[in-house]
Amino acid sequence: MSLNDTSPSVGGDHEKQGLAIPAVGLDDHVSVGSGPSFEKGEIFSLQSVDPALNAKMHLVNNAIDEIGWTGYHYKLFVLNGFGYAVDSLLLLLQSIISGQVVLEFRPKFQAGLTIALYLGLLFGAIFWGFGADIIGRRTAFNISLFICSVFAIVAGASPNYATLGFFVWASAFGGGGNLVLDTTVFLEYLPSSKQWLLTLMACWWGVGQLVAGLLAWPFMSNYSCATAADCTKANNMGWRYLWYTCGALVFLMSVARITVIRLKETPKYLLGEGKDEEVVETLQWLAKKYNRPCSLTTAELIACGVVGTSKSTKGRFSISEITVHLRGLFLTKKIGWSTSLVWLSWTLIGLAYPLYNVFLPEYLKSRGAQTGSDSNYIVWRNYAIIQMCSIWGPVLAGLLCEVRFIGRKGTMVIGALVTMAFFFAYTQVRTAAQNLGFNCAITFCLNIYYGCLYAYTPEVMPSAHRATGNGLAVSFNRIMGIISAVVGIAANTSTSVPIFICASLYVLMAAVAILLPFEPQGRRSA
């Protein structure tokens, strides 16, 4: 069975020449050349689908483990983390500026920017997700942040609401695939002993939010108009300064991606493309650069046979090519079940968290809670404090996911249920101090779940189709963000029903996490 009916048979001429294909199952251990044997199996086996790819993946994983953690991985952790930071920065930036933009431009449809942002993030996730599987990780990694930065800077000069909406959309399109690209690129270079760092990398999400909050503190406090009646561009420059500054930061990040690391195509992407020689060249280059052993040879990979193609015969940019990658996410019943549940998890969190942001402030106000301050200084100070808390959720998640009997699935269950408990408790908030405390607690606990889900998603998807599956998962999240924006306009925000619905969604997320068929702890991505 191959991924399309015109692909070469697995093994091809190598079988005719008498070269045996190693049957590497989940618990088999293959040594790399004369090097050491690495006693870890893959998260799932492709032996019944593509035995050549299954054997080669095991050899490449062994080689990556043999090389181990290097300075290259430190750079990847930081530069891929920039993508996380940009995604969260864009989301929070729109939330921060929306009030002042409405005062200045007085649009008839006030949720326009929110919808433009989520549409940009949605199209970005789909485009860069499929693109990374079709044209490779390297190209998408190098240009996505640059596109984002250019439109972010220009957005600050927008003369009207419609123009701002377009630039917000374009900036989000450039940055929208980073959650897809960053986890995929980092994972495909990562030795198995450090795979938990994929969860920790989500702390950069909090860094992006913190940067946005810290920059908003002086700009929005000192350069914002008070009412629509006297609001002009001259006395409302704060949100523009914020876009200029954040856009410039993203531009510096995009330059660093090209100059600091000069990313080579990931070995697992090359493996799916059948480029055995380039796989070995990349790994040997990494080993030589950091004085590490790497005993993998091209001959060993060739001896495994010819992998079933993950490409369409009708061309890279055809509908058939897209179909190949979609089918690749359902290679077996177990992989298909996993893909479906992961997508459901992203859909649920995509609805629950934005609704919380939409409904809770109005609900508390309707109950007579004095949860805020008229002082701009206090408002933006609290923003910064809350975002600081978001950094530490993924740190705890990274530690929990390596604890025996907890793992990735258990970490997501804990994160979802504790977040649910704080959601229910939050309905009783009545003071500003309580509001700040519960916001910090919810942000921290929510990022335990989110951080682990970010890492789990690429871990349990086949490498040749990883970016596609990851991109579609994030896309479902974005679609729910659009729906929540529309619901927030039409629904009654003073009733407690939406609050309890949001909290109940977290119970459902915990149940879905329990049902996930794969536990990556102690296993290697395939």
Side-chain angles (χ1 to χ4, degrees), residues 478-498:
R478 306 311 193 195
I479 291 170
M480 291 299 105
I482 295 170
I483 292 174
S484 68
V486 176
V487 169
I489 296 171
N492 180 4
T493 57
S494 62
T495 174
S496 62
V497 173

Side-chain angles (χ1 to χ4, degrees), residues 20 50 161 171 204 318 322-323 356 371 457 467 509:
D50 193 338
Y161 194 73
S171 179
W204 284 96
S318 64
I322 294 173
T323 303
Y356 149 72
T371 59
T457 301
M509 285 179 234

Side-chain angles (χ1 to χ4, degrees), residues 413-482:
V413 171
I414 291 170
L417 293 180
V418 176
T419 303
M420 175 215 66
F422 278 110
F423 259 91
F424 280 124
Y426 201 177
T427 60
Q428 304 305 310
V429 164
R430 292 295 178 269
T431 68
Q434 292 172 348
N435 182 53
L436 178 60
F438 273 92
N439 258 303
C440 289
I442 287 177
T443 301
F444 174 83
C445 296
L446 177 64
N447 278 279
I448 295 175
Y449 177 87
Y450 242 142
C452 199
L453 182 62
Y454 282 137
Y456 184 89
T457 301
E459 282 185 306
V460 297
M461 291 184 174
S463 60
H465 318 287
R466 179 171 287 136
T468 297
N470 205 358
L472 289 173
V474 175
S475 298
F476 289 123
N477 182 276
R478 306 311 193 195
I479 291 170
M480 291 299 105
I482 295 170

Side-chain angles (χ1 to χ4, degrees), residues 186-525:
F186 191 50
L187 176 64
E188 293 183 354
Y189 271 107
L190 205 56
S192 61
S193 64
K194 302 293 184 181
Q195 212 159 292
W196 63 274
L197 287 171
L198 199 62
T199 301
L200 178 63
M201 196 169 73
C203 70
W204 284 96
W205 176 271
V207 171
Q209 291 181 320
L210 177 62
V211 168
L214 289 175
L215 290 173
W217 191 349
F219 287 140
M220 302 302 288
S221 298
N222 299 311
Y223 302 99
S224 298
C225 60
T227 63
D230 64 350
C231 195
T232 65
K233 178 179 178 180
N235 67 3
N236 194 40
M237 289 294 292
W239 68 268
R240 297 177 186 273
Y241 293 150
L242 199 53
W243 271 111
Y244 293 144
T245 306
C246 291
L249 283 175
V250 177
F251 177 75
L252 291 176
M253 293 176 188
S254 70
V255 172
R257 279 192 166 187
I258 299 171
T259 58
V260 173
I261 198 167
R262 298 186 180 182
L263 182 74
K264 289 182 175 291
E265 190 56 80
T266 68
K268 292 184 180 180
Y269 173 80
L270 294 171
L271 197 64
E273 295 285 292
K275 299 178 180 179
D276 293 347
E277 289 187 9
E278 292 184 42
V279 171
V280 175
E281 284 176 11
T282 299
L283 292 174
Q284 292 288 358
W285 167 84
L286 184 61
K288 183 178 180 180
K289 182 176 176 66
Y290 293 97
N291 195 27
R292 301 295 177 84
C294 180
S295 51
L296 180 66
T297 65
T298 304
E300 286 179 298
L301 293 179
I302 291 176
C304 295
V306 179
V307 301
T309 180
S310 60
K311 296 296 177 184
S312 167
T313 57
K314 296 181 180 180
R316 283 180 176 268
F317 303 103
S318 64
I319 297 297
S320 178
E321 175 79 3
I322 294 173
T323 303
V324 166
H325 288 296
L326 289 173
R327 285 163 50 195
L329 298 168
F330 298 87
L331 286 171
T332 66
K333 287 184 178 179
K334 196 170 183 180
I335 292 174
W337 175 240
S338 173
T339 298
S340 300
L341 290 180
V342 167
W343 286 352
L344 177 59
S345 298
W346 278 95
T347 303
L348 293 173
I349 190 67
L351 181 61
Y353 187 59
L355 280 181
Y356 149 72
N357 284 324
V358 168
F359 283 107
L360 200 58
E362 291 302 317
Y363 171 79
L364 293 175
K365 190 182 296 182
S366 72
R367 293 296 187 272
Q370 301 298 317
T371 59
S373 169
D374 292 333
S375 165
N376 267 338
Y377 178 86
I378 297 298
V379 168
W380 299 115
R381 181 207 67 178
N382 289 353
Y383 237 103
I385 292 172
I386 291 166
Q387 305 317 324
M388 172 68 81
C389 296
S390 67
I391 296 174
W392 305 105
V395 175
L396 179 58
L399 297 174
L400 287 175
C401 72
E402 286 297 289
V403 175
R404 195 177 180 187
F405 305 122
I406 295 180
R408 272 62 157 174
K409 293 168 59 176
T411 301
M412 284 190 280
V413 171
I414 291 170
L417 293 180
V418 176
T419 303
M420 175 215 66
F422 278 110
F423 259 91
F424 280 124
Y426 201 177
T427 60
Q428 304 305 310
V429 164
R430 292 295 178 269
T431 68
Q434 292 172 348
N435 182 53
L436 178 60
F438 273 92
N439 258 303
C440 289
I442 287 177
T443 301
F444 174 83
C445 296
L446 177 64
N447 278 279
I448 295 175
Y449 177 87
Y450 242 142
C452 199
L453 182 62
Y454 282 137
Y456 184 89
T457 301
E459 282 185 306
V460 297
M461 291 184 174
S463 60
H465 318 287
R466 179 171 287 136
T468 297
N470 205 358
L472 289 173
V474 175
S475 298
F476 289 123
N477 182 276
R478 306 311 193 195
I479 291 170
M480 291 299 105
I482 295 170
I483 292 174
S484 68
V486 176
V487 169
I489 296 171
N492 180 4
T493 57
S494 62
T495 174
S496 62
V497 173
I499 305 300
F500 286 96
I501 290 176
C502 287
S504 300
L505 286 173
Y506 283 93
V507 178
L508 187 54
M509 285 179 234
V512 172
I514 293 172
L515 293 174
L516 290 166
F518 298 117
E519 173 51 66
Q521 186 191 64
R523 298 289 184 179
R524 306 184 298 191
S525 67

Side-chain angles (χ1 to χ4, degrees), residues 29-39 62-63 65-67 293-295:
H29 309 296
V30 178
S31 59
V32 184
S34 58
S37 177
F38 295 92
E39 301 300 318
N62 284 351
D65 281 349
E66 186 181 15
I67 294 169
C294 180
S295 51

